[in-house]
Amino acid sequence: MPHPSNPRALLTPAMRGLLDRIERAGHPPLHALSPDQAKASYLAGAPVLDIPLHKLTRVQDLGIPARDGVKLPARLFAPALDAALPVLLFFHGGGFTVGSVASHEPLCRHLAHLAHCAVLSVDYRLAPGSKFPTAVEDAWDALTWLRDQAGALGLDGRRIAVGGDSAGGTLAAVTAIAARDEGWPLALQMLFYPGCAGHQDTASHKTFAHGFLLEEPHISYFFHHYLRTEADRDDWRFAPLDGVDASGHPRELDGVAPAWLGLAECDALTDEGVMYADRLRHAGVPVALEIYAGMVHGFINFGRAIPQALTAHNDAARALRRAFNPET
């Protein structure tokens, strides 16, 4: 994507005003905090700009067993009790270091309402206490468990999608590749501005490195806590765009689930998201790509202040409805 000499001119007036207010508030950036402080700060700030919690018929706390016996907290959101609903398995964003089911509850509730599906949101384990590839393994274990337990939960296990935002989008994309490997069909991979590349060297990383909410120091901070060594950057489970497997070969993408990608125009991750969409298309995967003009990373959680957040919710929900009900 071309990047102008004055990238802040790309921002919508509402987004520019919001970023100015955040800067004036003077809160310390997450990368200046300890991981525990960053987790608490992110959670405390999450409701400020997000939409109110949508009332749903069913909200159920669950525990998902991981391969090492740890129970992963999860929350199931559903708009109805009397139907075997399809289900979106959702992974929250936060650089593999912050974020939670709670921080993304408004989004998950809204998607369940708009798409008329269940949403199962998973608290996968975070860095630095759990480094790569623990989050990847937790995501896969959640899908395995959901396939086994969907019937007992009153859900339609034949209609499962995966999705997430930012780091959660990475986990969803990687899980979709692994599901293809197992021969497990998925209805959709719903990816909001996913991290896809092993190295942050695209033009958008340079253009939007500072002043657009997700800054270069944040990315370095998150990956420092998440990755074991620099070699992990080249693992496909971290970098589905350009990473390789244990034998040094890139992962092919043919046969993975259809994809819907929602990107923010003014985001360091935009270029790699576009490149991943292109790789999927070249592999014959159906892809729908939306780039939200004048938006920054994280905007889908700003529904109180930014109307494009609600537009993106509706776009993603429409993609889910179509994927879950292809005959209509």
Side-chain angles (χ1 to χ4, degrees):
M1 295 177 62
H3 300 287
S5 57
N6 179 22
R8 281 188 71 86
L10 295 172
L11 295 168
T12 66
M15 183 60 79
R16 192 179 307 118
L18 175 59
L19 294 182
D20 289 343
R21 292 196 299 275
I22 291 173
E23 185 176 359
R24 287 197 300 270
H27 297 300
L30 295 184
H31 61 76
L33 304 175
S34 72
D36 285 343
Q37 290 171 332
K39 288 174 170 62
S41 177
Y42 185 88
L43 182 59
V48 174
L49 295 172
D50 217 335
I51 59 176
L53 296 178
H54 194 92
K55 291 184 179 179
L56 293 172
T57 303
R58 181 182 184 185
V59 178
Q60 181 178 357
D61 287 328
L62 300 166
I64 298 175
R67 63 192 64 190
D68 59 0
V70 170
K71 280 289 184 73
L72 306 174
R75 190 165 294 158
L76 179 68
F77 306 99
L81 294 173
D82 57 350
L85 294 173
V87 57
L88 168 68
L89 180 63
F90 185 85
F91 308 112
H92 67 79
F96 307 102
T97 307
V98 303
S100 63
V101 166
S103 67
H104 284 63
E105 183 161 344
L107 172 64
C108 290
R109 284 175 175 259
H110 203 210
L111 288 174
H113 166 69
L114 293 172
H116 198 71
C117 70
V119 177
L120 180 63
S121 182
V122 181
D123 262 330
Y124 58 89
R125 283 171 284 184
L126 298 175
S130 298
K131 289 184 174 287
F132 175 85
T134 303
V136 177
E137 294 171 346
D138 286 352
W140 178 251
D141 292 347
L143 176 60
T144 302
W145 180 86
L146 177 58
R147 280 174 50 87
D148 290 341
Q149 297 298 317
L153 292 169
L155 305 174
D156 186 349
R158 299 165 301 175
R159 294 186 292 166
I160 296 175
V162 294
D165 66 306
S166 195
T170 309
L171 295 176
V174 168
T175 300
I177 296 172
R180 183 276 316 270
D181 294 346
E182 288 293 318
W184 293 356
L186 295 173
L188 188 72
Q189 47 180 322
M190 183 202 75
L191 312 177
F192 284 111
Y193 32 75
C196 300
H199 300 272
Q200 287 63 59
D201 54 8
T202 63
S204 62
H205 274 284
K206 296 177 175 65
T207 300
F208 302 113
H210 299 280
F212 296 88
L213 206 60
L214 178 67
E215 300 190 321
E216 188 283 326
H218 289 110
I219 298 173
S220 295
Y221 171 87
F222 292 143
F223 293 171
H224 167 74
H225 287 301
Y226 178 55
L227 298 176
R228 299 165 300 185
T229 69
E230 281 295 297
D232 286 338
R233 287 181 173 272
D234 298 316
D235 190 310
W236 73 273
R237 297 169 297 171
F238 174 71
L241 171 66
D242 52 13
V244 297
D245 61 21
S247 60
H249 297 110
R251 295 309 310 271
E252 300 299 328
L253 298 178
D254 54 295
V256 304
W260 180 91
L261 287 90
L263 309 180
E265 181 185 22
C266 304
D267 180 6
L269 303 189
T270 300
D271 284 353
E272 61 196 76
V274 171
M275 293 163 69
Y276 193 61
D278 286 344
R279 268 207 71 198
L280 288 166
R281 286 195 186 105
H282 291 156
V285 177
V287 175
L289 172 63
E290 298 283 349
I291 301 178
Y292 296 92
M295 294 294 101
V296 302
H297 195 86
F299 80 96
I300 61 167
N301 302 107
F302 301 163
R304 287 183 194 266
I306 303 297
Q308 288 86 348
L310 303 182
T311 301
H313 294 188
N314 277 280
D315 290 343
R318 188 179 307 112
L320 287 166
R321 290 196 305 270
R322 290 172 175 169
F324 287 141
N325 305 285
E327 68 285 350
T328 60

